[in-house]
Amino acid sequence: WDGKTHWTNYLTVSPGFFGPNALPVPEVNKGTLSEKYRFDFAVEHHHSAGDKTQNIFTQLYFPVVKDKVGFNISLVPIERYELSIETRDERAARDFDGKGTAGGDFYVSTFIQLLKDHKTLPDLLLSVNLKTASGTNLEGVRYTDTPGYYFDLSFGKQLQSLRLYGMLGLYVWQTFEDLSPQNDAFLFGGGSEWTIGNYLIDAQVGGYLGYKKNGDQPIVARLNFQSNHEASLNYFLRLQQGFQDFDYLSVRLGISWHFIDQKN
């Protein structure tokens, strides 16, 4: 420390230098809205060479206009972490022992169905997403304490029991740099989903490419298993492997409550 520069100027506000929940790769949308109200509750574990994090994940989705507009709120209410001394120093964290807890940011999303069930064209879905600056423990380099937003257009086509989909968009977040206080990233993703009886298996790859190249180009591969019974309560499992600026292996295990079905 030079004795005068504020400590936030030593931080690199990118996914490569923060915790796994600070600037995660967004979900890859599939081009269509859900018709059900849904609440998800899950536990997660993220593991890398220098960062071990456990957290709770919550998400609430509800349709606003049937088949047209939906709204989603997600939050990591609490996480617990343990950093190695090397990772603590590399990130310029102010934790003495590299251990602690933190609360996450709210993500607020609006989904708009632009096209659905066309004979030849794919389904099209626009999403507008806001990341708040409500996350805590900037000192421990867990959440950025800066706002962000992203837009994406997803497209998908159902081929009997198989759905193919892709997504393109823009991800923007604020930094603490005086000369370039904003990072802009190209957002992308794609995958396929299989329906096997009352179960869904989904494989996807997603990421975003920031222009600063300072740990701001994370890419992840995800494998999702989900039950799809008529009952209101279902369960899901997600395995995620990070590549390039997101060096975490992550597991998410949870339950999903579909408490209103607008088809009925």
Side-chain angles (χ1 to χ4, degrees):
W1 185 44
D2 61 10
K4 58 182 179 180
T5 303
H6 195 269
W7 61 270
T8 55
N9 290 322
Y10 291 92
L11 302 181
T12 304
V13 184
S14 71
F17 289 89
F18 268 74
N21 297 308
L23 292 164
V25 174
E27 294 294 326
V28 182
N29 294 318
K30 303 173 183 177
T32 187
L33 280 174
S34 172
E35 298 177 350
K36 298 179 180 180
Y37 288 67
R38 171 175 172 167
F39 176 72
D40 292 344
F41 179 90
V43 292
E44 292 184 303
H45 176 75
H46 310 272
H47 182 91
S48 72
D51 187 341
K52 298 177 179 63
T53 301
Q54 301 84 39
N55 64 264
I56 293 172
F57 173 81
T58 58
Q59 180 171 252
L60 174 65
Y61 169 84
F62 55 93
V64 178
V65 180
K66 186 177 180 181
D67 296 329
K68 297 295 182 182
V69 181
F71 189 76
N72 192 84
I73 302 174
S74 64
L75 172 70
V76 172
I78 188 169
E79 70 171 38
R80 179 184 178 277
Y81 64 92
E82 180 177 351
L83 303 179
S84 68
I85 299 303
E86 293 78 13
T87 299
R88 179 202 65 181
D89 294 346
E90 180 184 39
R91 296 179 181 179
R94 304 183 78 198
D95 284 338
F96 179 76
D97 59 2
K99 301 178 182 179
T101 60
D105 298 310
F106 280 95
Y107 285 79
V108 181
S109 305
T110 301
F111 302 96
I112 303 172
Q113 190 77 59
L114 301 179
L115 186 66
K116 186 178 181 181
D117 296 333
H118 192 276
K119 290 183 179 180
T120 56
L121 297 176
D123 301 332
L124 294 177
L125 180 71
L126 174 68
S127 81
V128 181
N129 311 269
L130 172 67
K131 181 186 89 70
T132 68
S134 56
T136 65
N137 202 345
L138 176 63
E139 294 86 353
V141 198
R142 303 313 297 176
Y143 293 92
T144 66
D145 197 27
T146 62
Y149 60 87
Y150 59 94
F151 304 89
D152 65 75
L153 180 67
S154 62
F155 45 92
K157 194 71 173 177
Q158 193 72 36
L159 305 172
Q160 296 182 346
S161 61
L162 174 66
R163 184 173 186 83
L164 302 176
Y165 59 89
M167 183 183 78
L168 299 173
L170 173 69
Y171 194 159
V172 178
W173 69 95
Q174 298 298 306
T175 73
F176 297 110
E177 299 176 31
D178 294 330
L179 297 179
S180 53
Q182 177 174 294
N183 199 334
D184 306 322
F186 169 65
L187 176 65
F188 65 92
S192 57
E193 179 183 75
W194 296 270
T195 301
I196 304 175
N198 292 322
Y199 298 91
L200 300 176
I201 301 177
D202 176 44
Q204 60 179 233
V205 174
Y208 56 89
L209 305 175
Y211 79 91
K212 296 186 178 183
K213 299 182 180 179
N214 62 350
D216 60 355
Q217 299 188 343
I219 298 174
V220 301
R222 294 173 177 146
L223 185 61
N224 299 293
F225 302 87
Q226 180 178 327
S227 66
N228 193 30
H229 301 290
E230 291 298 325
S232 60
L233 194 63
N234 283 276
Y235 54 88
F236 57 89
L237 170 67
R238 185 177 83 174
L239 306 176
Q240 176 179 279
Q241 177 62 64
F243 305 95
Q244 186 178 296
D245 299 336
F246 196 82
D247 190 25
Y248 292 94
L249 173 63
S250 305
V251 180
R252 175 186 291 179
L253 178 63
I255 57 174
S256 180
W257 185 25
H258 297 173
F259 52 96
I260 294 179
D261 187 344
Q262 290 195 344
K263 289 183 178 180
N264 297 327

